[in-house]
Amino acid sequence: MQISQWRNGDRRERPRVRMQLKLAVVYHQHKGRATPPTYHGSTYDICMSGLSMVIDRSIFHEGDVTVLLALPHLRAGAPQKIITSTAEITYAIHSSKLKAFKIGMAFLKFKGNGKELLKAAIVHELRKVAVTGMQDPGCRSRTDWPRDSEPLS
């Protein structure tokens, strides 16, 4: 078991999956201000409560942002599904290992059936990689590991 060196270093309540999904981060427009840019990147890992993304610059912003996630095609010829979510940026660090910034976000709410689509994509990925894509959340985590005999809630 791997234990975080930081006290309460991992506060995620759900298992995370290493998935590289394309995403865009859109800042909300405020009256009287210039239109903020949209940033594009990819996820490093994701779970039902949030994600971390990798990008070439720090985009830390206080307040809510809109996150657009492009899900992988489930079958050839199927249209690509886009999930729209409101999220809060929780951290921004530079990773010398990744040679980029790693940005953490917590999902606040999903538009439409986005939550169900994300859950389906995560379950599909977990089945594909046979649960080996998850990181060990550490001994302080309240994570419930998926079990074959129990349905995911």
Side-chain angles (χ1 to χ4, degrees), residues 26-62:
V26 181
Y27 294 99
H28 299 285
Q29 177 68 37
H30 296 285
K31 289 183 181 180
R33 294 187 186 171
T35 303
T38 298
Y39 292 100
H40 300 271
S42 64
T43 59
Y44 181 75
D45 60 22
I46 192 165
C47 66
M48 290 303 296
S49 61
L51 62 85
S52 65
M53 70 177 284
V54 177
I55 191 167
D56 61 353
R57 67 193 72 162
S58 176
I59 60 167
F60 189 81
H61 172 78
E62 290 185 15

Side-chain angles (χ1 to χ4, degrees), residues 97-136:
K97 180 179 169 183
L98 299 172
K99 297 181 181 169
F101 283 88
K102 193 172 173 188
I103 312 294
M105 297 184 194
F107 296 129
L108 300 174
K109 62 183 175 180
F110 291 90
K111 184 176 178 183
N113 64 345
K115 191 170 189 174
E116 292 78 23
L117 290 172
L118 179 59
K119 182 177 178 178
I122 289 174
V123 167
H124 178 74
E125 186 68 17
L126 286 173
R127 288 183 180 144
K128 189 169 81 175
V129 298
V131 191
T132 59
M134 293 191 310
Q135 296 175 351
D136 187 344

